[in-house]
Amino acid sequence: MTAVQADPVVSTPYGEVRGRYENRVAVFRGIPYAAPPFGPRRFRPPEPPEPWDGVRDTVDFGPTAPKPPYSDAFAQYLSDPSVPGDDCLNLNVWTPEPGPGARLPVLVWLHGGALTRGSSAVPVYDGHAFARDGVVFVSVNYRLGVEGYGLFPDAPANPGLRDQLAALQWVHEAIGAFGGDPGRVTLAGQSAGAISTGALLAAPRAQGLFRRAVLQSGPPEASDRDKVRRMVRRMATRLKVPATAAAFADVDRDLLLRTQAEVGRLSSPVLGGPAFGIVVDGDLVPRDPLEALTEPGAAVAKDVDLMLGWTSEEYRLWLVPGGLLERVDRLGPVALAGAMARCHCGFEVVRGYRALHPGAGTAEIVGQMVTDHLLRIPLHRLAEARPGSSYVYEFAWPSNLPQLGACHALELGFVFDTGNTPESAKLAGEGAPAELAEAMHGAWVRFAADGDPGWRPWDTTHPVRVFGKGDPHLVSGPRDGDFAVWTADPTTEETAPVSEPVEGWPGRTAELRSAVRRLRRSGLARRH
């Protein structure tokens, strides 16, 4: 007769927590790493949680940060559970060996969701497979939307990013008791979580809190402060209140979320429009993170190993829901004009993509241009600035669902080895290959353990590990040709002059100029 394993109890800096064993892995959910960010703490930097007496049960996921639900078009592909309650600054731990002395590698996960949605309770992010394979896994909730990234004259910027820093500090202090090694922490994230990881990579206050980092489909970046202010001001106009933290704190929480969703409805990465983002604040983010990390002789994160990459067709998750793929194809030259304004480039770039992708429709050209501008080129720059310690991958397996292809977020079920969950099947369809999950998950485990995922680091040949159909393989820089079509630095703010007619619209330069102006005025071509 097998003895029943006693529930694990671990001491944290604020009190003891009791988890439970699930399939021989100890799981602790909803551990507070900071106090509830409401009442007098609303829109303020995180504060330590109140210590508790006795043993706190941490079996269920804690409250999630306030957020609007996904639209019906996106909800069919993405899951986003919501748990009510104010104590939303919490985290979860999966560990194979709770207790000091194990000194196992640690992976801390920051979820995606455009800094407005998502949580650690998404089933795709279950940490069991990492713990099963010898990695202590930690997933984090942090403030979202206007609560986490609103820019106000009477409150510090980036409270959501400050939450993530507080969680990292908690891990540094507490993870040893859960079997982790605070000297072998990997910070990882996808999409907005990768952007956050990049910002913390460059943050002086985060130095020394993690040894490695993974950026999945998101580069280090800072949003324009005026753009974030516009988002807040548009919300204030609709709410008929001043654009201050004090005034927003008095607004009903559900009304605030509805207003945020209405104002941000054009915030697709392809379409642009108002959106929240991490901003340079002179404190936690003293300068643009990408510039800080790629300048010659960069001192920040100089000893941090990196793994970074993208999916082959990121844009399809942004364009397939709601039929945007077909609408962009119908718009034709007007959509191309919007893409040129969005990417700060001229016709020479469009011609280059046409040459590299013969037979591609307008939506594919626009999608690849915007994806390269927003994701691949910044990550390419980051790897180029850090040869020898950067490992680059591309996820190229196409979903079994129509039109999605190798879209944004599709790789997550493979990284976490959670492809058997209904939530993973919403993106991948049925029958996702288990051998691909084994290969990807294994690479992430190896990287967290010793910094080597199993292929050659970035060098002058631009090695990229491709995860697609068949066995993973190494190639020399897929899409390097796409990058070469950019004749000017695409990170600059200047847009190349519209001086030549685009293919299919001969002699109508004036109309193209007018289309660009219309798209800019409408918010469809603003910088991400």
Short mmCIF file of all heavy atoms in Angstrom, two decimals, residues 445-507:
data_model
loop_
_atom_site.label_atom_id
_atom_site.label_comp_id
_atom_site.label_asym_id
_atom_site.label_seq_id
_atom_site.Cartn_x
_atom_site.Cartn_y
_atom_site.Cartn_z
N VAL A 445 14.27 23.76 -21.35
CA VAL A 445 14.78 23.18 -20.10
C VAL A 445 16.30 23.24 -20.09
O VAL A 445 16.91 23.63 -19.08
CB VAL A 445 14.28 21.72 -19.95
CG1 VAL A 445 15.04 21.01 -18.83
CG2 VAL A 445 12.79 21.70 -19.66
N ARG A 446 16.94 22.86 -21.20
CA ARG A 446 18.41 22.89 -21.25
C ARG A 446 18.94 24.31 -21.08
O ARG A 446 19.95 24.54 -20.40
CB ARG A 446 18.90 22.29 -22.56
CG ARG A 446 18.74 20.79 -22.67
CD ARG A 446 19.47 20.22 -23.88
NE ARG A 446 18.93 20.71 -25.12
CZ ARG A 446 17.91 20.14 -25.78
NH1 ARG A 446 17.31 19.06 -25.27
NH2 ARG A 446 17.48 20.64 -26.92
N PHE A 447 18.27 25.27 -21.70
CA PHE A 447 18.72 26.65 -21.58
C PHE A 447 18.62 27.13 -20.13
O PHE A 447 19.53 27.77 -19.61
CB PHE A 447 17.91 27.56 -22.50
CG PHE A 447 18.37 28.99 -22.49
CD1 PHE A 447 19.54 29.36 -23.13
CD2 PHE A 447 17.64 29.97 -21.82
CE1 PHE A 447 19.98 30.68 -23.11
CE2 PHE A 447 18.07 31.29 -21.80
CZ PHE A 447 19.24 31.64 -22.45
N ALA A 448 17.52 26.80 -19.46
CA ALA A 448 17.36 27.21 -18.06
C ALA A 448 18.39 26.53 -17.17
O ALA A 448 18.88 27.12 -16.21
CB ALA A 448 15.95 26.88 -17.57
N ALA A 449 18.75 25.29 -17.52
CA ALA A 449 19.68 24.53 -16.68
C ALA A 449 21.12 25.00 -16.82
O ALA A 449 21.83 25.18 -15.83
CB ALA A 449 19.57 23.05 -17.01
N ASP A 450 21.58 25.21 -18.08
CA ASP A 450 23.00 25.53 -18.25
C ASP A 450 23.29 26.57 -19.33
O ASP A 450 24.45 26.81 -19.67
CB ASP A 450 23.81 24.26 -18.53
CG ASP A 450 23.36 23.53 -19.79
OD1 ASP A 450 22.74 24.17 -20.68
OD2 ASP A 450 23.62 22.32 -19.91
N GLY A 451 22.25 27.20 -19.89
CA GLY A 451 22.47 28.27 -20.84
C GLY A 451 22.71 27.83 -22.27
O GLY A 451 23.00 28.66 -23.14
N ASP A 452 22.59 26.54 -22.56
CA ASP A 452 22.83 26.02 -23.92
C ASP A 452 21.61 25.21 -24.35
O ASP A 452 21.41 24.09 -23.90
CB ASP A 452 24.07 25.14 -23.94
CG ASP A 452 24.41 24.63 -25.34
OD1 ASP A 452 23.62 24.86 -26.27
OD2 ASP A 452 25.47 23.99 -25.49
N PRO A 453 20.77 25.76 -25.25
CA PRO A 453 19.55 25.04 -25.65
C PRO A 453 19.81 23.90 -26.61
O PRO A 453 18.90 23.12 -26.89
CB PRO A 453 18.72 26.13 -26.33
CG PRO A 453 19.73 27.09 -26.88
CD PRO A 453 20.86 27.09 -25.88
N GLY A 454 21.02 23.80 -27.15
CA GLY A 454 21.32 22.66 -28.01
C GLY A 454 21.70 23.01 -29.43
O GLY A 454 21.76 22.11 -30.29
N TRP A 455 21.97 24.28 -29.71
CA TRP A 455 22.47 24.65 -31.04
C TRP A 455 23.49 25.78 -30.90
O TRP A 455 23.70 26.31 -29.80
CB TRP A 455 21.33 25.03 -31.99
CG TRP A 455 20.54 26.25 -31.62
CD1 TRP A 455 20.79 27.54 -31.99
CD2 TRP A 455 19.32 26.31 -30.86
NE1 TRP A 455 19.82 28.38 -31.49
CE2 TRP A 455 18.91 27.65 -30.80
CE3 TRP A 455 18.54 25.33 -30.21
CZ2 TRP A 455 17.77 28.06 -30.12
CZ3 TRP A 455 17.40 25.72 -29.53
CH2 TRP A 455 17.02 27.08 -29.49
N ARG A 456 24.12 26.12 -32.01
CA ARG A 456 25.23 27.07 -31.97
C ARG A 456 24.73 28.48 -31.68
O ARG A 456 23.73 28.92 -32.22
CB ARG A 456 25.93 27.04 -33.34
CG ARG A 456 27.30 27.70 -33.35
CD ARG A 456 28.04 27.40 -34.64
NE ARG A 456 27.55 28.16 -35.77
CZ ARG A 456 26.87 27.65 -36.80
NH1 ARG A 456 26.61 26.35 -36.82
NH2 ARG A 456 26.46 28.40 -37.79
N PRO A 457 25.44 29.22 -30.83
CA PRO A 457 25.02 30.60 -30.56
C PRO A 457 25.25 31.49 -31.77
O PRO A 457 25.97 31.13 -32.71
CB PRO A 457 25.90 31.01 -29.37
CG PRO A 457 27.10 30.14 -29.46
CD PRO A 457 26.62 28.84 -30.02
N TRP A 458 24.66 32.66 -31.72
CA TRP A 458 24.72 33.63 -32.82
C TRP A 458 26.17 34.02 -33.13
O TRP A 458 26.97 34.29 -32.23
CB TRP A 458 23.93 34.86 -32.43
CG TRP A 458 23.67 35.82 -33.56
CD1 TRP A 458 24.35 36.96 -33.84
CD2 TRP A 458 22.62 35.74 -34.52
NE1 TRP A 458 23.80 37.60 -34.93
CE2 TRP A 458 22.74 36.86 -35.37
CE3 TRP A 458 21.60 34.83 -34.76
CZ2 TRP A 458 21.86 37.11 -36.44
CZ3 TRP A 458 20.74 35.05 -35.82
CH2 TRP A 458 20.87 36.18 -36.64
N ASP A 459 26.48 34.01 -34.41
CA ASP A 459 27.79 34.46 -34.86
C ASP A 459 27.62 35.09 -36.25
O ASP A 459 26.50 35.43 -36.64
CB ASP A 459 28.81 33.32 -34.87
CG ASP A 459 28.39 32.14 -35.74
OD1 ASP A 459 27.58 32.33 -36.69
OD2 ASP A 459 28.85 31.01 -35.49
N THR A 460 28.71 35.24 -36.99
CA THR A 460 28.64 35.93 -38.29
C THR A 460 27.83 35.16 -39.33
O THR A 460 27.42 35.73 -40.34
CB THR A 460 30.05 36.18 -38.84
OG1 THR A 460 30.75 34.93 -38.92
CG2 THR A 460 30.81 37.14 -37.93
N THR A 461 27.57 33.86 -39.08
CA THR A 461 26.76 33.07 -40.03
C THR A 461 25.27 33.13 -39.72
O THR A 461 24.46 32.56 -40.44
CB THR A 461 27.22 31.60 -40.04
OG1 THR A 461 26.91 31.00 -38.76
CG2 THR A 461 28.71 31.49 -40.32
N HIS A 462 24.90 33.79 -38.62
CA HIS A 462 23.50 33.95 -38.21
C HIS A 462 22.76 32.61 -38.09
O HIS A 462 21.74 32.39 -38.74
CB HIS A 462 22.76 34.86 -39.20
CG HIS A 462 23.30 36.26 -39.23
ND1 HIS A 462 22.78 37.23 -40.07
CD2 HIS A 462 24.30 36.85 -38.55
CE1 HIS A 462 23.45 38.36 -39.90
NE2 HIS A 462 24.38 38.15 -38.98
N PRO A 463 23.24 31.71 -37.22
CA PRO A 463 22.55 30.42 -37.08
C PRO A 463 21.21 30.56 -36.38
O PRO A 463 21.09 31.24 -35.35
CB PRO A 463 23.53 29.61 -36.23
CG PRO A 463 24.29 30.64 -35.45
CD PRO A 463 24.39 31.85 -36.33
N VAL A 464 20.19 29.93 -36.93
CA VAL A 464 18.84 29.97 -36.37
C VAL A 464 18.30 28.55 -36.34
O VAL A 464 18.34 27.82 -37.33
CB VAL A 464 17.91 30.86 -37.21
CG1 VAL A 464 16.49 30.83 -36.64
CG2 VAL A 464 18.43 32.29 -37.27
N ARG A 465 17.81 28.14 -35.18
CA ARG A 465 17.19 26.83 -35.03
C ARG A 465 15.74 26.93 -35.48
O ARG A 465 14.97 27.76 -34.96
CB ARG A 465 17.24 26.40 -33.58
CG ARG A 465 16.75 24.98 -33.32
CD ARG A 465 17.75 23.98 -33.81
NE ARG A 465 17.66 22.70 -33.09
CZ ARG A 465 18.48 21.70 -33.30
NH1 ARG A 465 19.44 21.81 -34.20
NH2 ARG A 465 18.36 20.57 -32.62
N VAL A 466 15.35 26.13 -36.45
CA VAL A 466 13.99 26.16 -36.98
C VAL A 466 13.22 24.97 -36.43
O VAL A 466 13.62 23.82 -36.61
CB VAL A 466 13.99 26.15 -38.52
CG1 VAL A 466 12.55 26.09 -39.05
CG2 VAL A 466 14.70 27.38 -39.06
N PHE A 467 12.12 25.26 -35.74
CA PHE A 467 11.21 24.24 -35.25
C PHE A 467 9.99 24.23 -36.16
O PHE A 467 9.18 25.16 -36.14
CB PHE A 467 10.79 24.54 -33.80
CG PHE A 467 11.90 24.50 -32.80
CD1 PHE A 467 12.58 25.65 -32.45
CD2 PHE A 467 12.28 23.30 -32.21
CE1 PHE A 467 13.61 25.63 -31.51
CE2 PHE A 467 13.30 23.26 -31.27
CZ PHE A 467 13.97 24.42 -30.93
N GLY A 468 9.86 23.19 -36.97
CA GLY A 468 8.74 23.11 -37.90
C GLY A 468 8.37 21.68 -38.14
O GLY A 468 8.47 20.83 -37.25
N LYS A 469 7.93 21.38 -39.36
CA LYS A 469 7.63 20.00 -39.71
C LYS A 469 8.92 19.20 -39.79
O LYS A 469 9.94 19.70 -40.28
CB LYS A 469 6.87 19.94 -41.03
CG LYS A 469 5.47 20.52 -40.96
CD LYS A 469 4.73 20.35 -42.27
CE LYS A 469 3.30 20.84 -42.16
NZ LYS A 469 2.55 20.70 -43.43
N GLY A 470 8.90 17.95 -39.32
CA GLY A 470 10.11 17.16 -39.33
C GLY A 470 11.01 17.53 -38.16
O GLY A 470 10.61 18.20 -37.21
N ASP A 471 12.26 17.11 -38.23
CA ASP A 471 13.20 17.36 -37.15
C ASP A 471 13.62 18.83 -37.13
O ASP A 471 13.80 19.44 -38.18
CB ASP A 471 14.44 16.48 -37.32
CG ASP A 471 14.14 15.00 -37.13
OD1 ASP A 471 13.17 14.69 -36.41
OD2 ASP A 471 14.86 14.17 -37.72
N PRO A 472 13.82 19.40 -35.93
CA PRO A 472 14.39 20.75 -35.86
C PRO A 472 15.75 20.77 -36.55
O PRO A 472 16.51 19.80 -36.49
CB PRO A 472 14.53 20.99 -34.35
CG PRO A 472 13.56 20.05 -33.71
CD PRO A 472 13.53 18.85 -34.59
N HIS A 473 16.06 21.87 -37.22
CA HIS A 473 17.31 21.95 -37.96
C HIS A 473 17.87 23.37 -37.88
O HIS A 473 17.14 24.32 -37.61
CB HIS A 473 17.11 21.53 -39.42
CG HIS A 473 16.05 22.32 -40.13
ND1 HIS A 473 14.70 22.09 -39.95
CD2 HIS A 473 16.15 23.36 -41.01
CE1 HIS A 473 14.01 22.94 -40.69
NE2 HIS A 473 14.85 23.71 -41.34
N LEU A 474 19.15 23.46 -38.12
CA LEU A 474 19.84 24.74 -38.05
C LEU A 474 20.03 25.28 -39.46
O LEU A 474 20.46 24.57 -40.36
CB LEU A 474 21.21 24.57 -37.38
CG LEU A 474 21.86 25.82 -36.79
CD1 LEU A 474 21.04 26.33 -35.63
CD2 LEU A 474 23.27 25.50 -36.32
N VAL A 475 19.68 26.54 -39.65
CA VAL A 475 19.88 27.21 -40.93
C VAL A 475 20.62 28.52 -40.67
O VAL A 475 20.73 28.97 -39.53
CB VAL A 475 18.56 27.47 -41.67
CG1 VAL A 475 17.81 26.17 -41.92
CG2 VAL A 475 17.68 28.43 -40.88
N SER A 476 21.11 29.11 -41.73
CA SER A 476 21.83 30.38 -41.59
C SER A 476 20.88 31.54 -41.85
O SER A 476 20.62 31.90 -43.00
CB SER A 476 23.01 30.43 -42.55
OG SER A 476 23.97 29.47 -42.19
N GLY A 477 20.32 32.06 -40.80
CA GLY A 477 19.56 33.29 -40.87
C GLY A 477 18.35 33.31 -41.76
O GLY A 477 18.33 34.00 -42.76
N PRO A 478 17.27 32.54 -41.46
CA PRO A 478 16.06 32.70 -42.26
C PRO A 478 15.55 34.13 -42.17
O PRO A 478 15.62 34.75 -41.12
CB PRO A 478 15.07 31.71 -41.61
CG PRO A 478 15.57 31.50 -40.23
CD PRO A 478 17.07 31.64 -40.32
N ARG A 479 15.10 34.64 -43.28
CA ARG A 479 14.54 35.99 -43.40
C ARG A 479 15.63 37.07 -43.35
O ARG A 479 15.32 38.24 -43.28
CB ARG A 479 13.47 36.27 -42.35
CG ARG A 479 12.37 35.22 -42.36
CD ARG A 479 11.09 35.70 -41.78
NE ARG A 479 10.11 34.63 -41.75
CZ ARG A 479 9.42 34.24 -42.81
NH1 ARG A 479 9.56 34.84 -43.97
NH2 ARG A 479 8.56 33.25 -42.71
N ASP A 480 16.91 36.68 -43.40
CA ASP A 480 17.94 37.70 -43.54
C ASP A 480 17.71 38.51 -44.81
O ASP A 480 17.98 39.70 -44.86
CB ASP A 480 19.34 37.07 -43.59
CG ASP A 480 19.87 36.77 -42.20
OD1 ASP A 480 19.13 37.02 -41.23
OD2 ASP A 480 21.00 36.30 -42.09
N GLY A 481 17.19 37.84 -45.84
CA GLY A 481 16.89 38.56 -47.07
C GLY A 481 15.83 39.61 -46.87
O GLY A 481 15.90 40.71 -47.44
N ASP A 482 14.84 39.31 -46.03
CA ASP A 482 13.81 40.31 -45.73
C ASP A 482 14.43 41.52 -45.05
O ASP A 482 14.11 42.66 -45.37
CB ASP A 482 12.76 39.70 -44.79
CG ASP A 482 11.84 38.72 -45.49
OD1 ASP A 482 12.24 38.22 -46.55
OD2 ASP A 482 10.75 38.46 -44.97
N PHE A 483 15.34 41.27 -44.10
CA PHE A 483 15.96 42.38 -43.40
C PHE A 483 16.75 43.25 -44.36
O PHE A 483 16.84 44.46 -44.20
CB PHE A 483 16.89 41.87 -42.30
CG PHE A 483 16.22 40.98 -41.29
CD1 PHE A 483 16.92 39.97 -40.66
CD2 PHE A 483 14.88 41.15 -40.98
CE1 PHE A 483 16.30 39.14 -39.74
CE2 PHE A 483 14.26 40.33 -40.06
CZ PHE A 483 14.97 39.33 -39.44
N ALA A 484 17.34 42.62 -45.39
CA ALA A 484 18.19 43.36 -46.32
C ALA A 484 17.42 44.35 -47.18
O ALA A 484 18.01 45.28 -47.74
CB ALA A 484 18.96 42.40 -47.21
N VAL A 485 16.10 44.18 -47.30
CA VAL A 485 15.35 45.10 -48.16
C VAL A 485 15.14 46.45 -47.49
O VAL A 485 14.74 47.41 -48.15
CB VAL A 485 13.98 44.52 -48.57
CG1 VAL A 485 14.14 43.15 -49.19
CG2 VAL A 485 13.00 44.48 -47.41
N TRP A 486 15.40 46.53 -46.18
CA TRP A 486 15.27 47.82 -45.51
C TRP A 486 16.52 48.64 -45.84
O TRP A 486 17.62 48.34 -45.38
CB TRP A 486 15.16 47.64 -44.00
CG TRP A 486 13.94 46.88 -43.61
CD1 TRP A 486 13.82 45.53 -43.48
CD2 TRP A 486 12.66 47.43 -43.29
NE1 TRP A 486 12.55 45.19 -43.10
CE2 TRP A 486 11.82 46.34 -42.97
CE3 TRP A 486 12.15 48.72 -43.23
CZ2 TRP A 486 10.50 46.50 -42.61
CZ3 TRP A 486 10.83 48.88 -42.86
CH2 TRP A 486 10.02 47.80 -42.57
N THR A 487 16.37 49.68 -46.66
CA THR A 487 17.53 50.45 -47.11
C THR A 487 17.93 51.52 -46.12
O THR A 487 18.99 52.11 -46.24
CB THR A 487 17.23 51.12 -48.45
OG1 THR A 487 16.09 51.97 -48.30
CG2 THR A 487 16.93 50.07 -49.50
N ALA A 488 17.08 51.79 -45.14
CA ALA A 488 17.42 52.74 -44.07
C ALA A 488 17.11 52.07 -42.75
O ALA A 488 16.45 51.05 -42.69
CB ALA A 488 16.61 54.03 -44.22
N ASP A 489 17.61 52.65 -41.68
CA ASP A 489 17.38 52.10 -40.35
C ASP A 489 15.89 52.18 -40.02
O ASP A 489 15.34 53.27 -39.87
CB ASP A 489 18.19 52.89 -39.32
CG ASP A 489 18.02 52.34 -37.91
OD1 ASP A 489 17.24 51.38 -37.75
OD2 ASP A 489 18.67 52.85 -36.99
N PRO A 490 15.18 51.04 -39.94
CA PRO A 490 13.73 51.08 -39.72
C PRO A 490 13.34 51.53 -38.33
O PRO A 490 12.17 51.67 -38.05
CB PRO A 490 13.30 49.63 -39.96
CG PRO A 490 14.51 48.83 -39.62
CD PRO A 490 15.69 49.67 -40.02
N THR A 491 14.30 51.72 -37.45
CA THR A 491 13.97 52.18 -36.09
C THR A 491 13.87 53.69 -36.01
O THR A 491 13.50 54.23 -34.98
CB THR A 491 15.02 51.70 -35.08
OG1 THR A 491 16.28 52.29 -35.40
CG2 THR A 491 15.16 50.19 -35.13
N THR A 492 14.23 54.40 -37.07
CA THR A 492 14.16 55.85 -37.02
C THR A 492 12.73 56.31 -37.12
O THR A 492 11.85 55.59 -37.58
CB THR A 492 14.97 56.49 -38.16
OG1 THR A 492 14.38 56.11 -39.40
CG2 THR A 492 16.41 56.04 -38.12
N GLU A 493 12.48 57.54 -36.73
CA GLU A 493 11.14 58.08 -36.73
C GLU A 493 10.74 58.66 -38.09
O GLU A 493 9.59 58.97 -38.32
CB GLU A 493 11.01 59.18 -35.66
CG GLU A 493 11.11 58.64 -34.24
CD GLU A 493 9.96 57.72 -33.90
OE1 GLU A 493 8.88 57.88 -34.47
OE2 GLU A 493 10.16 56.82 -33.08
N GLU A 494 11.70 58.83 -38.96
CA GLU A 494 11.40 59.47 -40.23
C GLU A 494 10.82 58.47 -41.22
O GLU A 494 11.27 57.34 -41.33
CB GLU A 494 12.66 60.09 -40.83
CG GLU A 494 13.23 61.23 -39.99
CD GLU A 494 14.45 61.85 -40.63
OE1 GLU A 494 14.80 61.43 -41.74
OE2 GLU A 494 15.03 62.76 -40.02
N THR A 495 9.81 58.89 -41.95
CA THR A 495 9.22 58.06 -42.99
C THR A 495 9.82 58.46 -44.33
O THR A 495 9.90 59.64 -44.65
CB THR A 495 7.69 58.26 -43.03
OG1 THR A 495 7.18 57.94 -41.73
CG2 THR A 495 7.05 57.37 -44.07
N ALA A 496 10.23 57.45 -45.11
CA ALA A 496 10.79 57.77 -46.42
C ALA A 496 9.73 58.46 -47.27
O ALA A 496 8.53 58.15 -47.18
CB ALA A 496 11.24 56.49 -47.11
N PRO A 497 10.11 59.40 -48.10
CA PRO A 497 9.12 60.13 -48.90
C PRO A 497 8.40 59.23 -49.89
O PRO A 497 8.99 58.31 -50.44
CB PRO A 497 9.97 61.18 -49.64
CG PRO A 497 11.35 60.60 -49.66
CD PRO A 497 11.49 59.82 -48.39
N VAL A 498 7.12 59.48 -50.05
CA VAL A 498 6.34 58.74 -51.04
C VAL A 498 6.55 59.43 -52.38
O VAL A 498 5.92 60.43 -52.69
CB VAL A 498 4.84 58.74 -50.64
CG1 VAL A 498 4.02 58.02 -51.68
CG2 VAL A 498 4.67 58.11 -49.28
N SER A 499 7.46 58.90 -53.18
CA SER A 499 7.86 59.60 -54.39
C SER A 499 7.69 58.77 -55.65
O SER A 499 7.87 59.26 -56.75
CB SER A 499 9.33 60.01 -54.29
OG SER A 499 10.14 58.86 -54.04
N GLU A 500 7.35 57.48 -55.53
CA GLU A 500 7.19 56.63 -56.69
C GLU A 500 5.88 55.88 -56.59
O GLU A 500 5.43 55.56 -55.50
CB GLU A 500 8.34 55.62 -56.78
CG GLU A 500 9.72 56.26 -56.86
CD GLU A 500 10.79 55.20 -56.85
OE1 GLU A 500 10.53 54.11 -57.39
OE2 GLU A 500 11.87 55.46 -56.33
N PRO A 501 5.25 55.53 -57.70
CA PRO A 501 4.01 54.78 -57.65
C PRO A 501 4.26 53.33 -57.26
O PRO A 501 5.25 52.73 -57.66
CB PRO A 501 3.48 54.87 -59.08
CG PRO A 501 4.69 55.07 -59.92
CD PRO A 501 5.63 55.88 -59.08
N VAL A 502 3.37 52.78 -56.42
CA VAL A 502 3.49 51.38 -56.05
C VAL A 502 2.94 50.52 -57.18
O VAL A 502 2.08 50.95 -57.95
CB VAL A 502 2.70 51.10 -54.75
CG1 VAL A 502 1.20 51.18 -54.98
CG2 VAL A 502 3.06 49.75 -54.16
N GLU A 503 3.46 49.31 -57.29
CA GLU A 503 3.01 48.39 -58.32
C GLU A 503 1.49 48.19 -58.23
O GLU A 503 0.95 47.96 -57.15
CB GLU A 503 3.71 47.04 -58.14
CG GLU A 503 3.35 46.01 -59.19
CD GLU A 503 4.06 44.70 -58.93
OE1 GLU A 503 4.94 44.66 -58.07
OE2 GLU A 503 3.71 43.73 -59.61
N GLY A 504 0.80 48.30 -59.32
CA GLY A 504 -0.64 48.17 -59.33
C GLY A 504 -1.37 49.48 -59.14
O GLY A 504 -2.59 49.53 -59.19
N TRP A 505 -0.61 50.56 -58.94
CA TRP A 505 -1.25 51.86 -58.76
C TRP A 505 -0.44 52.92 -59.51
O TRP A 505 -0.01 53.90 -58.94
CB TRP A 505 -1.32 52.20 -57.27
CG TRP A 505 -2.55 52.99 -56.93
CD1 TRP A 505 -3.60 53.28 -57.73
CD2 TRP A 505 -2.84 53.59 -55.66
NE1 TRP A 505 -4.53 54.00 -57.05
CE2 TRP A 505 -4.11 54.21 -55.78
CE3 TRP A 505 -2.18 53.66 -54.44
CZ2 TRP A 505 -4.71 54.89 -54.75
CZ3 TRP A 505 -2.79 54.34 -53.40
CH2 TRP A 505 -4.03 54.95 -53.55
N PRO A 506 -0.18 52.70 -60.80
CA PRO A 506 0.75 53.57 -61.53
C PRO A 506 0.22 55.00 -61.65
O PRO A 506 -0.96 55.23 -61.90
CB PRO A 506 0.85 52.89 -62.90
CG PRO A 506 -0.42 52.12 -63.04
CD PRO A 506 -0.78 51.66 -61.66
N GLY A 507 1.15 55.93 -61.43
CA GLY A 507 0.83 57.33 -61.67
C GLY A 507 -0.11 57.96 -60.69
O GLY A 507 -0.64 59.04 -60.95
#
